[in-house]
Every structure is written in C-alpha cells, then in structure tokens.
Amino acid sequence: MPLDAQALSQALAATPGASPDGLQHTHSLLCRREAAAFQRAATDEHDTLVIACTQERRLFAALNEETAGAPSITERPIRFFNIRETGGWARDAAQATPKIAALLAAAQLPPPEPVGTVGYRSAGRTLVIGDATTASRAAALLGDGLDVSLLVTVPGGELPQAHDHAVHTGRLTGLSGWLGAFEAAWQSHQPIDLDLCTRCNACVEACPENAIDLGYQVDLSRCQSHRDCVRVCEAAGAIDFQREPVAHRERFDLVLDLQPAPAFTMHQPPQGYFHAGADERRLFDAVLQLRGLVGAFDKPRFFRYQQRLCAHSRNEQIGCTACIDVCSARAIRSDASAKGRSKNDLQPPGGIVVEPHLCVGCGACSTVCPSGALTYAAPNPADQGKRLQTLLATYARAGGRDAALLLHSEDAGQHLIDALGRAARTDRKLHGIPARVIPVPVWHTASTGLDLWLAAIAQGASQVWVLLTDEEAPDYRRALAEQMAIGQAILAGLGYRGEHLRLIDARDPQALDTALRGAPAQAVAKPATFATQADKRSTLELALDHLRQQAPAPVPDAITLPAAGSPCGTLQVDTERCTLCLACVGACPEGALADNPDRPQLKFIEKNCVQCGLCAGTCPERAITLQPRLWLADEGRARKSARVLNEAQPFVCIRCGKPFGTLRAIEMMLAKLAGHAAFQGAAAERLKMCSDCRVIDIHTHPGEVRITDL
C-alpha cells in the first residue's frame, strides 16, 4: 500500500501530544522480514509504542518480551491498530495519506479515563431448562466442571438411570437476575417425586395407557386413574396423585435454556443466561462459554447518572421515558413513586434506577437522554469528542477534504470493514474504504448521539455515518434514526446542502462498498476549535452556535424539528385556560419555567427546555402544549433569555394592599364559594386578604367563624 512518509511525518509532528519528530519509521514488510526494526523501536525511550498493523500482534508482543532493554508490555503499552484494510487497500489508496495521518494521530492519544467496575461472582451452580433428553445431554457436557441442576418443563424424553444431577419437574413461573445471581421460580405438579424415584421403570411397565415416559413424568391427559403405578412403587413411595402443587424458588449462577421460546425476551438477555433451543451449534457454543464462567468477573460501569438533571418524573408525574423505552436489556426502571420507601431514605423519589449488572454498555440511553442526566462513561463524551476532533484536525492539516466519519462497532462492524478491505484487493468491482471515509470504532454504535455528531460537523466533518449490522436492537435503530432526523433538520434549516447524517445498514462487503460511495455534503467554511464538554447540553449549544455562525444561507428565526426525540423546543400556553397556578414551574426539572416574585407571571427560557412534557402533564388546566423547534432569532440570543408566556393582573389584599394571586383566580374562587354558608360576611371578606392579613383578622375577631382550610 502506498505510504507518503514525508507527508505523514509533517502532519503528525503538528499533532498535540504526538512525537515532535513526526513519523518514526515506515516499513514495507514490517511483519517478519523487518522484525529487527521493531526491536530497535522497542528499546527507544517513548511512553507509548504505536504499531499500525494488527496482523502480527502476537509476534510483536513475543519479540518485545525477548528484546533486551525493552520495557515489558505492562510497563510500556503497545498499541496496535489497522491502516491497511481501513485506508491502504482501496482503489484510491494513493489519496489516503490524510486519513492515515488522522488514524495515526488518534492512535497516539492517551487512553480514556478509567471508570468504575461492576463485579460478578459465580460458583458455577447451573440450571438447565428443557425436555428430559436434551437437558440431560447438556448436563453431561457441563457436569465435570459445573454444579448442574435440571428443570424438566415438558413431558417426554428420557432421563439417565444414574442420579448424577438434581432433577426438578414443573412449569417455570419466573426467572430474573444475572450472572451469579439468578433466581428461578417454578411450580411442580407431577405425581412422581424425582428425588424419591429409583428409576426402576416399574411404573412405566405397569401403566396400561402408557402415560408415563422415561422422563418419569405422567401425562395426566392420558391417565385413566388405574393407579397401577402407585401399587408397583409402594416400596419407594415416589408416586402420589394427591400431592398438592408446590412452588419452588432457588438461586443459580448460570442458566442454560433449551426451551423453544426463551425465558428472557429482551434483545440483550442478562450475562450468564444462554438460550440454545433446539439449535445444536448454539448449544455447543453455550456449553463452551458456560464452562468458563466460574470465578469473579468485572466489567466497566458504562454509565453515569445525575438525578438532579433527570426529566423522567416529578411528584409522581411521568415525563420523559426515552431511556426506559430504548433499553434493550431492561436495565432501567422508573423510580417515580414514593411507595415502599422508608422515611430514612435520603434520596427523594423521582428519576430512574439503572441496574449496572444488567447494563450491556450500548449507550443508547445516553444518546436519547435530552437533559444529559445519563452519560456514557466508557469512554466519556469528552474523550470521545477529543478523538473525533483529533481525527478531523489532522485530516484537514494533511490536506484532506470532505471527511466522512464512519462510526462502527468494535465487533461486527470492524469485521465487515476488514472484509471489505480484503475483498477490494482482488475484486476489481469493489472500491474499498474510500480515502475520505475515516472509520471510527466505538464500543457500541448507539453510544454516540446528536451532541457528538453535530460537534463533528461543526469541527469540519462533511458527514457522520453510523454503520449498522445485525448487532443493533430494533429500538436502537429507531432511536438513532430519530436523532439523525433532528440533526439533519437543523443542518438543512441552516442552509447546509446535502445529507450530513446517515445510518448505513449493511450485512456484506458489497452492500457496504455501495453505501460508502455517497457524495459529500457541504461542510462548514471554518471548522470549530471548541473542546467537547462533559455535559451533553453544553456541547450541543457550542455546536449549534458555531453552525449558525457559519451557516451558508440566511438563518431563519426558527427551525421546526421532528417531535420524536427532540431535545429542544418551546411551549404554547393557552392563556384563556391558564390560571397561573405555577404548578408547571415546580414540575420543570431543568429550570426552563420560572415565576416572577413581584407579579403573576410565567416565564420561560427556551434553551433550558428538553421537551420532557412534565409541565404539560402537571398542568391541572391542560393549558400547555409542547412545540419542538430550534429558535434562532436575534442570533440565537432570544432562546437564551427569559420571556413571558403568560401574565395576569394581580389581586390586591383589601387590608394591606399587597398583591397576592391573580385577579382572575380570586374572582373565580369568590364566585364558586358565594353560596356556601361558611363563606358569608367577614369570612367572605377574608378570601380577599393575603395569608398574613387573614391570620391577623382571625385573631383580631375571635368570635368570627374561623376559615381553617383556606
């Protein structure tokens, strides 16, 4: 593959944090013929050794340990990454120097900040669910390394004569938990107690209807109550047709489910649970994985949650449910209710609860969260943004144009990209990864969203594409499509031509090759230099401000946005229905709504609104309607300033002259209570007083009727 060492060295020398000498070494066949060059580099005094090849990772690691004077991998990490399939093996590889420089620069960035971990402990206690024959065969494969119990859920099949494993029969009624902490519940209703059964087969032979199988379960639909089986089993006493159904509940570390339909129906089942059904290949894959799941395990804590920013609930009213709806692992639940909480619970009800043991790290919750209450932590937004900015800045500095960032998963997405790179070497119909397309691996494709995409466009990207394979759950695809529709509406509304944001759904190299040949979209004239913030809303505001300033067409006062998933917008208040009770102000979690302590007013700061709907759900008069949009009037300053949505003439206390309430609200109250016996004479006059004067008047005239419920 063609490499321009001088151009690469110049581009890298100007990269912050990179070696001031630029590119250290270039080799045509580094893999084995020039292994000595690697050994020389391994002894150089550098904090990090970066190798732009992944094929001989094992060889280089072994050479490093055998090289005298070279630090061990634990002392000085070696970073391997690929520029061959991603850049060098394409039809326009001669123009790929800017992209290769960008990839080299990003590879030299320091590793992301470490995050906390979530621990699992498994002693290997395994539950196998299914029919007798299949479950017994699976147990035989697992029994030498795991403590296996069987739950036979359907009649039929055959159990082995030896009592090698605990065997239960019954109907599975519940299964919850995760690796090391599963809880299974089932109800047994079989007349035969498998703990007492000696498996002598006398009952099988005695039954005239052949209602008892070698799984030692009775098909009650065929049984005619001859009870010959009870007679021949008298010594063991294992058969009792009068036995009441018994509910069982036990804990297990691992679960192998061989039922036709899985017990867990979510797209991402818990770790430690494997569903194989009747698929032999999936069964053996599951057996191999289960045998390795004994001991202590850790995984990153993929998310950070700030309840104070959460727009899910207030006062048991439900607003935004975006994260709950999108989670494919069902790791997020509502915490809106105060029921069941102790009086000593310091955290008020509201918000959500994320179970870290169920979280699979997809990041979709942080992508759809409008307020930034949920943040992806591995890596965090600042680290993700720094990598994207480094790629784009280095690419532009090396002379690249129309950069398209291709975000893809580190698993299936990377395999597909590598497959296209290799296929393009021999198939002249394929182009390969174009020189302007920069692949960016992420843990999961749903972990980036509108803030990072628009920040990348503001920092000079022509396009941001997200590669989807068969890994993504349907809810992820929907959420990403909604976020991209919002971003594209903003860019189109600002006058940027072309399709800047797109989902690429590809399953094979040919489909991916075709999708990557799209025309570039219009980029900003001057790339932004701001750093991605830890706070999602701050990054989004920085990107929007720069895109507005660089807009190639006159900026409209407002851009209408799709309703689904919009993170910004305004409110429409029906002033005829609104009584200025200000319940909406107390419900707003983002400080978008406020009152005026000096007069009856409802004020609104549009920049703070996340369109959660809590205000509309709380309003007793149903006077509030959400309106998704991006308001750009007055160069964007208008949406950052407070404006009055509704105001009314205050009612003045008849005793002290202090304003309290609204004229309309007091008049409505007086009209409704005019015929009530308790509100006549002096009591009616007290309704026209502020709270202080009302108390004074009651104590001044103790003989008057006390109005205690005002």
Side-chain angles (χ1 to χ4, degrees), residues 11-172:
L12 291 173
T15 300
S19 169
D21 300 326
L23 192 68
Q24 295 287 310
H25 307 283
T26 57
H27 301 276
S28 58
L29 290 173
L30 177 59
C31 300
R32 292 183 181 273
R33 190 179 73 179
E34 299 184 23
F38 165 77
Q39 292 182 296
R40 288 194 298 270
T43 59
D44 289 345
E45 295 182 358
H46 296 293
D47 292 336
T48 304
L49 180 58
V50 178
I51 300 178
C53 176
T54 56
Q55 179 172 306
E56 299 294 343
R57 183 192 303 260
R58 187 172 65 87
L59 170 66
F60 290 138
L63 281 174
N64 185 80
E65 296 305 314
E66 296 173 4
T67 301
S72 68
I73 293 179
T74 57
E75 297 172 330
R76 191 270 315 277
I78 301 178
R79 298 184 193 167
F80 297 91
F81 76 104
N82 177 24
I83 61 171
R84 189 176 66 183
E85 282 85 355
T86 57
W89 282 359
R91 295 287 169 256
D92 58 354
Q95 289 78 49
T97 297
K99 173 169 67 173
I100 294 174
L103 294 172
L104 289 167
Q108 297 181 69
L109 290 172
E113 293 183 7
V115 298
T117 58
V118 179
Y120 300 85
R121 289 189 176 276
S122 167
R125 191 176 183 211
T126 306
L127 178 65
V128 180
I129 309 171
D131 66 83
T133 301
T134 310
S136 298
R137 187 160 60 90
L141 297 172
L142 296 168
D144 61 334
L146 302 174
D147 178 11
V148 181
S149 297
L150 275 61
L151 176 59
V152 179
T153 55
V154 293
E158 181 176 350
L159 287 173
Q161 293 297 300
H163 284 253
D164 292 332
H165 310 286
V167 181
H168 312 280
T169 61
R171 178 175 59 88
L172 185 70

Side-chain angles (χ1 to χ4, degrees), residues 202-505:
C203 60
V204 177
E205 297 175 1
C207 181
E209 291 91 14
N210 295 322
I212 304 177
D213 57 33
L214 291 177
Y216 308 105
Q217 297 189 75
V218 181
D219 185 346
L220 296 175
S221 65
R222 298 170 62 183
C223 177
Q224 298 297 315
S225 302
H226 293 286
R227 301 299 186 257
D228 292 347
C229 56
V230 177
R231 177 179 52 79
V232 298
C233 191
E234 184 176 0
I239 305 178
D240 181 2
F241 282 87
Q242 303 304 314
R243 184 181 293 116
E244 294 292 330
V246 180
H248 301 268
R249 188 176 295 273
E250 289 192 33
R251 292 180 68 89
F252 298 91
D253 298 313
L254 304 164
V255 177
L256 174 59
D257 189 353
L258 304 176
Q259 300 176 106
F264 289 106
T265 57
M266 68 279 277
H267 185 269
Q268 295 280 352
Q271 289 177 286
Y273 169 85
F274 299 87
H275 178 257
D279 190 316
E280 288 288 325
R281 181 173 179 178
R282 290 170 62 187
L283 171 60
F284 282 103
D285 287 345
V287 167
L288 289 174
Q289 295 183 67
L290 283 163
R291 292 172 67 90
L293 291 177
V294 178
F297 305 92
D298 291 321
K299 73 174 182 182
R301 188 181 181 93
F302 289 104
F303 64 93
R304 291 192 179 97
Y305 175 60
Q306 301 178 77
Q307 185 191 20
R308 63 181 180 82
L309 299 178
C310 185
H312 170 61
S313 62
R314 283 292 187 277
N315 301 322
E316 301 192 28
Q317 291 288 326
I318 302 299
C320 173
T321 61
C323 61
I324 297 174
D325 296 339
V326 80
C327 181
S328 70
R330 296 181 190 167
I332 307 177
R333 69 178 189 273
S334 174
D335 193 34
S337 175
K339 295 178 180 179
R341 285 177 172 264
S342 70
K343 295 181 179 179
N344 297 324
D345 196 332
L346 298 179
Q347 180 173 306
I352 57 164
V353 174
V354 185
E355 176 48 66
H357 292 91
L358 292 176
C359 173
V360 295
C362 67
C365 56
S366 63
T367 294
V368 300
C369 178
S371 67
L374 274 168
T375 305
Y376 196 65
N380 62 44
D383 286 329
Q384 286 180 315
K386 185 176 182 180
R387 179 168 56 148
L388 298 182
Q389 188 174 28
T390 299
L391 287 167
L392 292 168
T394 308
Y395 178 82
R397 190 164 49 246
R401 294 175 56 84
D402 301 323
L405 298 178
L406 178 62
L407 307 180
H408 63 86
S409 71
E410 296 175 353
D411 190 7
Q414 186 66 61
H415 291 322
L416 183 56
I417 287 172
D418 290 347
L420 174 57
R422 291 190 295 271
R425 291 277 291 163
T426 56
D427 188 344
R428 302 301 300 178
K429 296 180 181 179
L430 297 177
H431 182 280
I433 309 297
R436 76 179 190 92
V437 176
I438 306 175
V440 183
V442 293
W443 175 259
H444 198 286
T445 50
S447 64
T448 65
L450 193 61
D451 54 330
L452 289 176
W453 300 339
L454 290 182
I457 299 295
Q459 291 164 353
S462 167
Q463 289 154 312
V464 177
W465 296 336
V466 176
L467 174 59
L468 303 180
T469 59
D470 55 2
E471 294 177 311
E472 289 79 15
D475 287 334
Y476 295 164
R477 294 166 174 266
R478 172 189 55 78
L480 290 170
E482 290 174 356
Q483 293 284 298
M484 285 198 164
I486 294 166
Q488 192 60 52
I490 292 172
L491 293 166
L494 291 172
Y496 293 95
R497 299 185 303 276
E499 184 186 36
H500 296 80
L501 307 174
R502 179 156 59 100
L503 296 177
I504 295 178
D505 197 343

Side-chain angles (χ1 to χ4, degrees), residues 676-695:
H676 199 288
F679 297 95
Q680 303 298 318
E685 290 302 301
R686 290 190 186 118
L687 295 175
K688 304 175 185 178
M689 299 178 189
C690 67
S691 57
D692 293 337
C693 291
R694 193 176 302 135
V695 173

Side-chain angles (χ1 to χ4, degrees), residues 573 575 578-586 592-604 642-651 659-663:
V573 176
T575 55
C578 176
T579 62
L580 284 174
C581 69
L582 302 180
C584 56
V585 175
L593 287 166
D595 62 351
N596 185 339
D598 298 324
R599 60 182 294 110
Q601 279 186 340
L602 176 62
K603 297 192 292 185
F604 179 62
R643 73 178 192 273
V644 176
L645 294 181
N646 192 19
E647 61 182 333
Q649 181 180 348
F651 187 89
F660 77 99
T662 66
L663 178 63

